[in-house]
């Protein structure tokens, strides 16, 4: 059993958008102490062949940029083609897998969604685009801390999301964006760039947008996870974003891993707890999505 993630994150189901207290951060602090079983289970996912269920496709955005992507359909679709509309989960990769081979982005973090238990418990369309240029760029923000802004490829990824939402039986109130590192930064940038599109975001080790932009997305539930020993994407700006969201009336969830460097915690890659939190969120749009 993945001890740390399951024990702590099962509690996060209590922090759904409807239940969390507006104006404060729902904080969790966990020691970074993965069990050998955690590491072994994740290593098996990383080394496993890419599931044929992640179908390779390509999208050409209005700006002409080509976006290779993998699409996982819910297992229920084959048996029930006319099933009710389901969530769309957008998984954004880090800078280490920028390219166009439509394979590098399929890390263990992405591949885990195809595991039978997770696929059964969280039926959804899961899209994993690969970008050929950065999806988020970094520079100091107004408070002097590092901040992100949309990279050259993010608009094409957002156009892909719109395309899939228009073609697939997707619930428009349950479109989620998750990511690691650059992908986590882009996930938070996407909330700012596309108000009213995403029901929630989960960001692992992100550089968030300038804190001055937090008020515009404070109503969107966010779960941020960061190691306090991360020297690649510093911890401080990420927590400052959560503080700014809370100050604007939001209710962010923030998980700090003590002693962890720049990575997705192994106990969370396979854990259902944060996915339970994610799937509990629903969009109540105050602003219609931009065309």
């Amino acid at each position: 059993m993945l001890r740390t993630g399951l024990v702590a994150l099962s509690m996060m189901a209590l922090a759904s958008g409807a239940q969390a207290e507006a104006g404060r951060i729902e904080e969790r602090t966990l020691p970074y102490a993965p069990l050998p079983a955690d590491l072994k289970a994740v290593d098996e996912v990383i080394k496993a062949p890419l599931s044929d269920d992640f179908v390779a496709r390509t999208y050409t955005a209005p700006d002409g940029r080509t976006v290779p992507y993998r699409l996982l359909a819910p297992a229920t679709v084959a048996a029930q083609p006319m099933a009710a509309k389901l969530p769309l989960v957008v998984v954004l990769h880090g800078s280490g897998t920028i390219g166009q081979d439509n394979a590098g982005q399929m890390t263990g973090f992405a591949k885990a969604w195809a595991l039978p238990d997770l696929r059964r418990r969280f039926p959804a369309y899961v899209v994993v685009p690969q970008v050929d240029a950065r999806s988020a760029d970094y520079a100091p923000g107004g408070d002097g801390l590092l901040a992100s802004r949309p990279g050259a490829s993010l608009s094409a990824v957002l156009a892909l999301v719109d395309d899939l939402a228009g073609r697939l039986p997707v619930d428009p109130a349950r479109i989620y964006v998750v990511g690691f590192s650059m992908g986590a930064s882009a996930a938070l940038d996407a909330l700012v760039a596309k108000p009213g599109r995403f029901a929630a975001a989960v960001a692992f080790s992100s550089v968030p947008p300038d804190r001055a932009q937090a008020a515009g997305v404070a109503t969107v539930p966010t779960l941020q996870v960061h190691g306090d020993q991360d020297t690649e994407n510093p911890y401080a700006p990420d927590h400052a974003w959560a503080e700014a969201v809370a100050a604007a009336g939001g209710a962010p969830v923030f998980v700090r891993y003590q002693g962890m460097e720049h990575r997705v915690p192994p106990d969370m890659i396979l854990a259902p707890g944060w996915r339970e939190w994610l799937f509990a969120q629903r969009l109540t749009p105050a602003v219609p999505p931009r065309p």
Side-chain angles (χ1 to χ4, degrees):
M1 176 176 288
L2 304 180
R3 179 192 60 184
T4 306
L6 290 181
V7 172
L9 291 175
S10 63
M11 298 169 59
M12 286 186 187
L14 301 176
S16 69
Q19 296 167 319
E21 183 180 341
R24 64 181 294 271
I25 305 173
E26 185 76 17
E27 299 219 36
R28 300 284 189 274
T29 299
L30 304 175
Y32 180 60
L35 296 175
D38 297 351
L39 299 175
K40 181 175 183 293
V42 171
D43 188 58
E44 290 175 352
V45 173
I46 292 171
K47 293 180 178 178
L50 179 59
S51 170
D52 291 338
D53 292 334
F54 266 112
V55 179
R57 295 182 178 175
T58 301
Y59 171 75
T60 301
D63 64 3
R65 187 178 296 273
T66 298
V67 183
Y69 67 96
R70 296 274 178 164
L71 182 66
L72 178 72
T76 55
V77 167
Q80 301 178 12
M82 302 305 292
K85 291 185 177 182
L86 293 172
L88 172 65
V89 181
V90 184
V91 181
L92 302 181
H93 65 82
S95 61
T97 53
I98 289 174
Q100 286 208 307
D101 64 1
N102 210 358
Q105 82 274 31
M106 300 305 299
T107 62
F109 179 62
K111 289 161 67 176
W113 287 95
L115 293 175
D117 182 59
L118 291 178
R119 198 176 180 194
R120 174 184 58 80
R121 293 182 64 172
F122 304 101
Y125 291 91
V126 180
V127 59
V128 192
Q130 185 182 34
V131 298
D132 63 352
R134 289 191 63 87
S135 55
D137 293 315
Y138 306 152
D143 56 4
L145 298 175
L146 206 60
S148 64
R149 63 181 185 276
S153 62
L154 185 58
S155 62
V157 171
L158 294 176
L160 168 63
V161 174
D162 289 346
D163 179 72
L164 293 174
R167 292 191 294 106
L168 298 175
V170 166
D171 182 352
R174 301 183 70 196
I175 299 177
Y176 308 121
V177 59
V178 306
F180 166 65
S181 191
M182 178 189 74
S185 308
L188 296 180
D189 286 328
L191 302 186
V192 176
K194 202 77 173 177
R197 169 53 81 197
F198 298 100
V202 180
F204 291 88
S205 304
S206 74
V207 172
D210 192 290
R211 273 52 68 184
Q213 296 179 306
V217 295
T219 59
V220 183
T222 53
L223 166 57
Q224 296 161 253
V225 181
H226 214 127
D228 60 11
Q229 298 303 306
D230 189 342
T231 57
E232 185 167 341
N233 285 357
Y235 170 87
D238 211 18
H239 196 271
W241 174 260
E243 292 172 350
V245 168
V253 180
F254 194 96
V255 182
R256 174 170 69 102
Y257 270 81
Q258 293 177 312
M260 189 179 77
E261 298 180 346
H262 188 69
R263 64 180 304 165
V264 178
D267 54 287
M268 291 187 73
I269 289 178
L270 306 182
W274 66 271
R275 292 175 169 92
E276 291 171 358
W277 176 90
L278 184 67
F279 276 55
Q281 314 307 322
R282 289 181 177 273
L283 184 68
T284 53
V287 179
R290 291 176 181 169

